């Protein structure tokens, strides 16, 4: 059995006197693909923030065993005028990457996510789907062990949602992938666990056929 990379025991998060997460009991193992499902305001994004150490628990126990956690927000700012490859090279160098391996990885991920022709385009001129893929690649360049994605399919045209999902699966390797998603869109046959969240609590954790 793969090792635990995150665990929470009776964790709670309180903001300005209001509990936004309650009674969180959860284990995440290396290599799992996990969907956190819930309606708007259910607490699914708050749970993602707890996993990613953006939130610290107010009470209870939380342990994070992965050394690198990468967080992908919903979108990039629209005003970035760098060309896509220039932008990715810049952020990669800022994190200490050597230029030779950095360029190789940029082109590798651009091929996987099918944005190679967009590398010479300015980021501001790209579609929302391409911008989101650039944001994912930006995080992957730091080689995180846990990849967290905040509503990665929300602003992508429906016909490209499954394409993006399968592209994410192709880079899984030894990474753990956790993403939030609305109740209307769940890739239940392709994830290891579905965590259903309501009113700041985990109401169920469903292990799919991948775990059997």
């Amino acid at each position: 059995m793969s090792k635990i990379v995150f665990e929470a025991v009776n964790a709670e998060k309180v903001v300005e006197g209001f509990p936004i997460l309650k009674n969180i009991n959860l284990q995440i193992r290396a290599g799992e693909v996990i969907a956190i499902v819930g309606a708007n305001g259910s607490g699914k994004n708050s749970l993602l923030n707890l996993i990613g150490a953006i939130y610290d628990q107010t009470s209870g126990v939380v342990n994070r065993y992965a050394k690198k956690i990468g967080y992908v927000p919903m979108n990039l700012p629209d005003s970035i005028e760098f060309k896509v490859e220039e932008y990715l090279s810049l952020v990669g160098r800022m994190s200490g990457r050597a230029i030779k391996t950095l360029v190789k990885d940029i082109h590798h991920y651009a091929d996987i996510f099918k944005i190679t022709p967009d590398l010479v385009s300015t980021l501001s001129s790209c579609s929302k789907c391409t911008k989101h893929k650039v944001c994912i690649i930006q995080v992957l360049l730091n080689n995180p062990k846990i990849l967290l994605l905040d509503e990665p399919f929300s602003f992508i045209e429906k016909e490209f949602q499954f394409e993006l999902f399968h592209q994410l699966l192709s880079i899984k390797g030894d990474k753990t992938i956790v993403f939030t998603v609305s109740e209307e869109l769940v890739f239940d046959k392709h994830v290891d666990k579905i965590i259903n969240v309501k009113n700041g609590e985990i109401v169920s954790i469903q292990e799919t056929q991948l775990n059997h």
Side-chain angles (χ1 to χ4, degrees):
M1 184 176 289
S2 57
K3 67 180 182 180
I4 296 171
V5 294
F6 173 88
E7 63 179 347
V9 180
N10 296 327
E12 182 176 84
K13 177 63 178 177
V14 177
V15 176
E16 296 181 352
F18 181 78
I20 60 173
L21 291 173
K22 299 168 285 186
N23 304 317
I24 301 300
N25 291 282
L26 176 64
Q27 285 187 344
I28 297 174
R29 294 186 176 275
E32 288 186 320
V33 178
I34 296 173
I36 301 176
V37 183
N40 290 338
S42 63
K44 63 182 186 294
N45 300 104
S46 296
L47 179 57
L48 194 73
N49 289 339
L50 182 71
I51 296 168
I54 295 171
Y55 285 162
D56 285 323
Q57 75 276 17
T58 305
S59 61
V61 177
V62 171
N63 293 310
R64 303 177 184 90
Y65 301 106
K67 291 183 178 180
K68 280 190 177 181
I69 300 176
Y71 186 90
V72 182
M74 285 189 185
N75 214 339
L76 286 168
D78 291 330
S79 58
I80 296 175
E81 293 301 326
F82 286 106
K83 292 180 180 178
V84 170
E85 186 167 3
E86 292 174 341
Y87 174 76
L88 290 172
S89 295
L90 176 63
V91 296
R93 291 198 303 273
M94 288 173 64
S95 64
R97 291 289 310 273
I99 188 66
K100 186 175 181 180
T101 56
L102 176 60
V103 170
K104 182 179 178 180
D105 283 350
I106 289 171
H107 283 263
H108 170 69
Y109 287 126
D111 181 58
I112 288 174
F113 287 98
K114 302 187 187 304
I115 65 162
T116 298
D118 298 297
L119 289 176
V120 296
S121 301
T122 59
L123 196 52
S124 61
S125 68
C126 293
S127 68
K128 288 183 178 180
C129 183
T130 297
K131 287 177 182 176
H132 200 70
K133 290 180 179 184
V134 171
C135 196
I136 293 170
I137 293 171
Q138 172 186 337
V139 173
L140 288 173
L141 291 175
N142 285 325
N143 193 28
K145 289 301 180 183
I146 301 180
L147 181 64
L148 305 178
L149 302 106
D150 186 4
E151 307 254 8
F153 312 104
S154 292
F155 300 105
I156 294 176
E157 297 88 342
K158 192 169 184 178
E159 61 267 29
F160 297 122
Q161 289 173 345
F162 276 91
E163 177 187 333
L164 175 59
F165 178 71
H166 286 291
Q167 288 164 353
L168 286 169
L169 288 185
S170 73
I171 56 92
K172 176 183 170 183
D174 63 345
K175 299 184 190 307
T176 303
I177 298 175
V178 184
F179 62 92
T180 57
V181 66
S182 68
E183 294 170 308
E184 293 79 22
L185 182 67
V186 180
F187 304 101
D188 56 342
K189 295 180 180 179
H190 306 282
V191 300
D192 296 286
K193 289 178 182 174
I194 300 171
I195 301 172
N196 290 284
V197 179
K198 185 177 181 180
N199 297 326
E201 295 189 75
I202 295 175
V203 295
S204 68
I205 298 177
Q206 175 188 351
E207 292 196 358
T208 71
Q209 62 185 15
L210 294 186
N211 267 326
H212 298 289

